[in-house]
Amino acid sequence: MSHLAYHEQKDIENIKKLRTLTKELPPFCTDFFRGIEPRTSTRTRIAYAYDLSVFFGFLKKENPVFRKLEREEFRLEQIEQLTVSDLEEYMEYLKYRFNDQNQEVMNKERGIMRKISSLKSFYNYFYRNETIHNNPAALVKLPKLHEKEIIRLDVDEVALLLDEVESGENLTEKQKAFHNKTKVRDLAILTLMLGTGIRVSECVGLDINDIDFKNGGIHIHRKGGKEVTVYFGIEVEDALQDYLDERFGIDAAPGSEDALFLSLQKKRIAVRSVENLVKKYARIVTPLKKITPHKLRSTYGTNLYRETGDIYLVADVLGHSDVNTTKKHYAALEDERRRSAKDKVRLREKR
């Protein structure tokens, strides 16, 4: 698989994982996953498989009709006969449960909403195809979501974060031992993410030849398979050039020869590794904010919107398919801009 692009390798890994997961589900689920395949990503289907596994686990544990059956013995007509009350009981179960490893699991409202949304999609598929004639999931109301505060870095925090990556003076002694080996790479990763708003998966998937210094852009694969060019400024260019000077001197491990960002093991850096390095530096600069790679993306979106005031541009650059998603995340900034409009128009000259 080493000759394949990163996103193609991940797709193959996800397909294998999905096949393993679906073997643990009732047989009729195969039709569902085959039916949604053309319009969903492998990652989305894996999320559905996990969610449906929780649902069928609930039926096995809590419902007397299913308790005496193995999962492969579940029948679609039995699922069709479930009531709204059964599904509301499932929502209650999701708040606090034990998983198959007997570990405690708690779902907050967003986790519950996702699992119920997955169940609705599952029922809707069979209902639309007239395989079932009763759709209790359609009558279940999704839980009310309370708006969460959007966490992002302030302008001064961005500068402090990048300064900390360069100096490493506040790292622990153990962290400092590795700092000189990784600081140029880490600075390039954080500068790139803060300067373009790309997702962490898009960042780790970059190959060396995805960078176009002539036009100041990077070629990335968005969610859903769309290929786009995202453009960067001079600060990102400088950080990437510095890192490439170092990168070209590294003999990468087999299968990672084309990868832009490498781990200390000389393999393509993993998403988890980027998450850890963001956490490591951000904890020093702003210990009260839980900063993740996605928060760096929010930081970029905030800065771009403040500079341009163009929500459609922000949506396009961030790769949001629906501008309403962008508006939801930057509603507070929109209100701030609306407030600033109150004194912009003069009706009469001051006397």
Side-chain angles (χ1 to χ4, degrees):
M1 287 203 305
S2 61
H3 64 285
L4 297 176
Y6 172 77
H7 71 282
E8 293 173 323
Q9 293 180 36
K10 295 304 292 184
D11 260 353
I12 290 173
E13 290 172 17
N14 287 341
I15 288 169
K16 290 179 179 178
K17 187 173 187 177
L18 183 61
R19 287 175 179 170
T20 301
L21 291 171
T22 52
K23 286 178 182 177
E24 299 171 2
L25 298 174
F28 52 80
C29 291
T30 304
D31 293 337
F32 169 68
F33 286 104
R34 188 182 298 118
I36 65 172
E37 189 271 335
R39 61 183 188 279
T40 57
S41 68
T42 51
R43 288 180 61 186
T44 297
R45 295 197 295 281
I46 284 174
Y48 277 142
Y50 278 123
D51 292 344
L52 289 174
S53 180
V54 173
F55 174 64
F56 293 121
F58 157 77
L59 293 179
K60 174 72 177 168
K61 289 177 184 176
E62 307 293 336
N63 191 293
V65 174
F66 296 90
R67 194 172 292 151
K68 57 192 175 187
L69 302 174
E70 297 302 321
R71 290 193 191 187
E72 61 267 22
E73 298 175 309
F74 289 11
R75 297 290 175 264
L76 190 56
E77 52 268 26
Q78 295 171 315
I79 304 299
E80 180 183 11
Q81 290 165 11
L82 292 173
T83 65
V84 174
S85 294
D86 291 324
L87 301 187
E88 287 176 343
E89 183 183 343
Y90 173 54
M91 286 177 65
E92 181 64 30
Y93 166 83
L94 288 173
K95 292 179 182 178
Y96 178 79
R97 63 188 175 87
F98 286 88
N99 63 16
D100 292 338
Q101 288 75 45
N102 207 33
Q103 299 168 321
E104 291 181 306
V105 178
M106 291 183 67
N107 280 292
K108 295 184 179 178
E109 54 192 23
R110 290 180 186 275
I112 295 172
M113 182 174 181
R114 195 196 81 174
K115 287 178 171 57
I116 297 300
S117 295
S118 296
L119 193 59
K120 281 177 173 283
S121 296
F122 175 77
Y123 268 98
N124 286 342
Y125 169 78
F126 289 109
Y127 188 73
R128 280 196 310 270
N129 286 282
E130 299 182 341
T131 312
I132 62 174
H133 302 285
N134 182 38
N135 185 358
L139 303 175
V140 175
K141 292 184 177 179
L142 290 171
K144 181 180 179 181
L145 287 182
H146 295 85
E147 289 301 318
K148 289 179 14 178
E149 179 188 4
I150 303 299
I151 298 173
R152 51 178 76 87
L153 292 170
D154 298 330
V155 174
D156 60 326
E157 291 171 336
V158 170
L160 288 171
L161 179 69
L162 298 178
D163 288 346
E164 183 59 44
V165 178
E166 283 191 308
S167 70
E169 61 183 39
N170 293 305
L171 295 172
T172 65
E173 291 305 313
K174 186 177 179 181
Q175 289 170 337
K176 285 179 180 178
F178 295 97
H179 180 249
N180 280 335
K181 298 177 183 177
T182 64
K183 70 176 181 180
V184 177
R185 180 204 68 186
D186 293 353
L187 187 62
I189 289 173
L190 291 177
T191 304
L192 176 64
M193 295 181 75
L194 284 164
T196 61
I198 60 172
R199 297 176 175 90
V200 62
S201 58
E202 295 163 352
C203 179
V204 302
L206 286 170
D207 287 338
I208 294 172
N209 59 11
D210 287 328
I211 306 175
D212 177 5
F213 285 113
K214 182 179 178 182
N215 295 298
I218 51 172
H219 182 74
I220 62 171
H221 294 266
R222 291 284 196 203
K223 288 197 318 187
K226 186 179 180 181
E227 297 183 30
V228 299
T229 299
V230 174
Y231 297 95
F232 53 75
I234 188 65
E235 290 175 291
V236 174
E237 180 179 344
D238 289 344
L240 287 176
Q241 290 279 21
D242 289 343
Y243 171 66
L244 280 173
D245 289 342
E246 184 178 276
R247 170 65 182 85
F248 286 131
I250 301 173
D251 187 15
S256 297
E257 295 91 345
D258 297 328
L260 175 59
F261 295 116
L262 298 177
S263 67
L264 286 173
Q265 290 72 41
K266 302 181 181 180
K267 296 179 180 179
R268 183 185 296 274
I269 197 168
V271 168
R272 179 61 59 86
S273 298
V274 177
E275 290 171 343
N276 288 337
L277 77 87
V278 170
K279 185 191 298 183
K280 176 177 71 176
Y281 292 114
R283 190 182 287 151
I284 296 169
V285 173
T286 174
L288 296 182
K289 291 182 180 178
K290 188 178 178 182
I291 300 298
T292 64
H294 193 75
K295 302 300 186 294
L296 302 187
R297 184 168 154 81
S298 296
T299 300
Y300 171 79
T302 300
N303 292 337
L304 181 61
Y305 185 52
R306 282 197 170 124
E307 289 295 323
T308 66
D310 188 341
I311 198 71
Y312 292 94
L313 174 63
V314 176
D316 183 47
V317 173
L318 291 180
H320 290 164
S321 56
D322 184 354
V323 73
N324 289 318
T325 302
T326 320
K327 286 181 177 179
K328 182 175 67 175
H329 282 88
Y330 300 99
L333 294 178
E334 288 228 287
D335 186 61
E336 187 180 297
R337 290 184 63 80
R338 282 193 294 270
R339 285 175 182 271
S340 71
K342 62 183 171 53
D343 296 322
K344 299 297 184 186
V345 177
R346 295 288 182 190
L347 305 181
R348 291 192 297 176
E349 291 295 325
K350 284 185 178 181
R351 293 178 182 176

